[in-house]
Structures are given as structure tokens and as C-alpha cells.
Amino acid sequence: MYTASSSVTAPPRPLRPLGAGGGPYLTPHAAPSVPGTVRPRRPAGPGGPALSGRLDLSGPQGAQLRMVIASVQRICPEFNPVQVLRRSGRSVLLVGSTGRTTAVAKCLLDHSPAWSERFRHEIAAYRAFVRHRPPVRVPRLIAADPENCTLVIERMPGRVAALTRHPSEAPPRADVRAVLGAISRVNEWRPAPGLFDAPLDYASRISRYHELGLFTDRDLGDLQKLLHGLAHAGGRQGMGQFCHGDALLSNILLSPTGPVLVDWEHAGWYLPGYDLATLWTVLGDAPAARRQISQLAQAKGPAARDAFLVNLMLVLTREIRTYETAVQRAMRDPMPPGAGQDRPGALSSSEEQRLLLRRLHDDCAMARRAVRAAVGTR
């Protein structure tokens, strides 16, 4: 959530790792002094070292930043901003302090209905966690304003499990084990009725992908057959499963006291295995981890297998659609000549995205074959 992009998922996340200060869970670095900057005081929080940095409030972006700070301080007057973590056309993230607590503040800039709804869903999740604690560590809610889409939460210590959406190297086995343990606990949790809804309409999403030409007629028929079977499945598998909804490694912090999950804007009830399908999709360079995820997803029988495969087809197709758009954008705006030549063997952003897109298509073909085999066993 707070490493490469806003908590509202924006296509695409950068493929290259972020530098220092790229997220609120990394120690912010001090920026050089420039005219119009404000150097805030440096409170020391109990969870880490003193913060440092400068805020550039000059120019048009400075005016926008002043509005953001004012919006945050309306709901949290004691918030002392320290550094801009990320700024995009959709949102601004700040790290700062509230008293002796280090905090992260996020303010939505794009108030279109879709993004506002996602932001309010995230606020609702953090509010629900105040009284109904999930079985994993989550940031504590400090203040929130759903109307103006402003959120302040505590800054959690820990290192991000991966700095990119699709890591280019397999994570350490201990990290994978910790991540899968945390996700499994979330999936086994049964929050109080009415706290969370079902963010994904499976039938509508499948039909839309078919209309867009992303699914073939046979894909449509096969997935509808699996959905029909799952609708009549009894027990827990037929009831759905509580999922984080965006279980990327970049949304999981690893700390000595256990994993911390952030970015809960998509949390809710899904077919079982949605979080595992997300992890399988982004771990394309970790075959051992993928095998472990597949075994875990299918351990509870044919219904769990079918649900995982439906989720996998939808997640992979979403990623393909996202990165096809990214490749088209990169072709219109290629890397300047000589860029990246200081790194031996460096690939341009568009080349990296094309390689990733090729892998995603291969993965989707594999998932498609598994879906057809599953339909044949029904």
C-alpha cells in the first residue's frame, strides 16, 4: 500500500525496486534544503528512530500539499507532517507524527465515485478492526474522514516482503512461510456478520472479460460451470472465505513480532483461495513457493480446487489487462536514449513489462488447461 503506490491500486506499480524513503515503512531520508521548504520538528517515537525530512511547499504542488495537510489536520490536529512518501494524480501519502506515535496520512485527490468508494471501504475496514481485531497485526486507526477521503493510521515497523508487485527474485523460504501463515489466519477468520461485503461479483466479472475478448467462449462456459458447482457446494466452501483482497508481498511487512498486513481496501468475502491466487500470480519467479501455494489452496478438496482456479483465471486476466495497457503506454513514451545503460544488462521499463506480460500469458494458458481438466472431472 505504502511502498510503490497508493492504497488505491493504480496501474501499474513500478517494476524496479524503490529507493530509500520510497514508503512509510522505510526510514525517510533527509532531502536537501530548497526555497519554500518547511523543516518539521523531529519527534522520537517509541517504535523507531526520530523522523527527519523537509516538505517543499513552493509552487503549484506546494499549494496542493498545503491543502492536503490542512485536510489531515482537520481530523487529526496533532499530526505533524515530516515527508511526502508518494504523490500521484489520485492521492498523497505523508509520514509524520501524532504526539509520540509515528503515523501515515493519506488523502485522496481523485474523488471520482470508484476511487472514493474504494477509499471509504478501506476506512470502514480499519474502523471494523478497532472492535473486531483480525488474527494478524494491522495498523491502528488514528483518525478518518470518509466524506473527504482522508485517513491517518499508525506507521508499523518492519521490512516490506517485496518492493515490487512482481518480484524478480524468489523470496526467502522463511519469508514465504511467514506470509502464507498470515494469509491463512486471515482466511480462517470469521468476522462478525455485516462488517464486510463481497467486493467481487464473479458472474459479472467473467461476463465482462468475455465481452472484452479476454475470455473465449469456452472459458466462459467452463468458468460458469465451476461457479454453478460452487454455488451448490455445501459447508464452508459454499459460504465463501474472508480475504485481504490484495495479498501482494508489497502489502505485507515482516517484523520480529510477526507479519503486518496493510492496504485493506479490497477486504471482504470471496470464493476460497482468492488471496492465494493473488500470491501465486505475483510469484512467477518462485516455482517452489507456487507449488506450496497450489497445495495449500487445493488441500480441502475439489470445491477448494475449483474456487482457486476461478480466482486464478480472474486475477491473471486482470494482471494481463493492466500490463497490456502499461506496455502500450511505454511504447508511446519510451525510455530516453542511454537511460539505464549505467546498469549492465539493464532492461528498459517497456522491455521488463513485455517480459512480464509474456509470463502472465503463459501462466494464464496453464490455468486455462487446469480449469478445463477440473470441468472434465465434475
Side-chain angles (χ1 to χ4, degrees):
M1 165 177 170
Y2 301 123
T3 53
S5 72
S6 70
S7 67
V8 177
T9 305
R13 297 186 186 219
L15 294 175
R16 294 188 177 87
L18 298 178
Y25 305 113
L26 308 176
T27 303
H29 61 282
S33 178
V34 296
T37 60
V38 174
R39 183 178 180 88
R41 60 186 182 275
R42 297 187 294 172
L51 299 175
S52 63
R54 291 179 176 85
L55 295 176
D56 185 358
L57 302 180
S58 61
Q61 290 191 340
Q64 182 186 69
L65 187 56
R66 287 194 294 271
M67 293 177 60
V68 168
I69 294 172
S71 179
V72 173
Q73 291 179 337
R74 273 197 298 271
I75 63 170
C76 187
E78 66 273 23
F79 181 77
N80 174 45
V82 172
Q83 188 179 26
V84 176
L85 297 175
R86 196 197 65 85
R87 186 201 305 260
S88 73
R90 293 195 176 101
S91 64
V92 172
L93 275 76
L94 300 169
V95 66
S97 65
T98 57
R100 293 184 58 82
T101 300
T102 310
V104 172
K106 178 176 144 184
C107 187
L108 190 66
L109 301 177
D110 179 358
H111 288 269
S112 61
W115 295 111
S116 296
E117 180 182 358
R118 289 186 182 186
F119 200 103
R120 289 166 185 152
H121 186 89
E122 183 179 12
I123 290 176
Y126 280 114
R127 283 181 168 175
F129 295 156
V130 172
R131 300 188 63 181
H132 303 271
R133 299 296 296 176
V136 293
R137 298 182 66 211
V138 299
R140 178 178 60 87
L141 176 67
I142 296 175
D145 180 2
E147 186 65 26
N148 293 312
C149 294
T150 305
L151 173 67
V152 183
I153 58 176
E154 69 173 322
R155 180 190 185 214
M156 303 292 285
R159 60 179 177 86
V160 186
L163 291 176
T164 58
R165 187 179 185 90
H166 293 265
S168 58
E169 296 181 0
R173 282 183 291 180
D175 289 0
V176 173
R177 184 166 56 249
V179 166
L180 289 179
I183 293 299
S184 295
R185 291 193 295 275
V186 170
N187 295 159
E188 292 170 0
W189 187 43
R190 311 297 290 183
L195 285 180
F196 295 92
D197 57 11
L200 177 59
D201 185 330
Y202 282 87
S204 296
R205 181 68 59 85
I206 290 170
S207 296
R208 183 156 64 90
Y209 283 170
H210 178 252
E211 293 171 357
L212 293 171
L214 302 171
F215 284 162
T216 65
D217 291 345
R218 182 167 181 179
D219 291 336
L220 176 65
D222 287 346
L223 292 172
Q224 287 177 337
K225 287 177 184 177
L226 293 184
L227 278 183
H228 180 76
L230 290 167
H232 292 84
R236 185 173 178 176
Q237 296 298 335
M239 295 171 59
Q241 182 183 72
F242 182 78
C243 292
H244 176 276
D246 198 19
L248 305 170
L249 294 178
S250 53
N251 287 334
I252 301 173
L253 310 177
L254 301 176
S255 70
T257 55
V260 181
L261 271 63
V262 298
D263 192 359
W264 290 88
E265 71 185 43
H266 298 286
W269 296 95
Y270 294 80
L271 288 179
Y274 187 86
D275 284 342
L276 294 178
T278 300
L279 283 172
W280 191 97
T281 296
V282 300
L283 285 171
D285 292 302
R290 278 189 161 185
R291 284 193 297 271
Q292 188 176 356
I293 291 169
S294 296
Q295 292 168 0
L296 184 61
Q298 302 177 60
K300 295 183 180 179
R305 174 205 65 193
D306 293 352
F308 174 69
L309 290 175
V310 171
N311 285 320
L312 194 57
M313 282 292 290
L314 291 180
V315 173
L316 282 167
T317 304
R318 179 199 65 199
E319 293 294 293
I320 288 172
R321 187 182 182 199
T322 296
Y323 282 95
E324 282 181 342
T325 302
V327 168
Q328 293 170 1
R329 185 183 300 115
M331 292 176 66
R332 294 193 302 267
D333 186 20
M335 180 179 287
Q341 292 182 0
D342 56 329
R343 296 183 296 132
L347 297 175
S348 70
S349 177
S350 60
E351 288 172 328
E352 291 174 331
Q353 289 168 347
R354 281 194 290 269
L355 289 174
L356 174 58
L357 189 55
R358 182 186 306 169
R359 193 262 290 170
L360 290 171
H361 277 290
D362 291 342
D363 289 344
C364 196
M366 185 192 312
R368 180 175 287 110
R369 290 193 295 270
V371 166
R372 292 175 181 176
V375 170
T377 64
R378 297 198 65 81

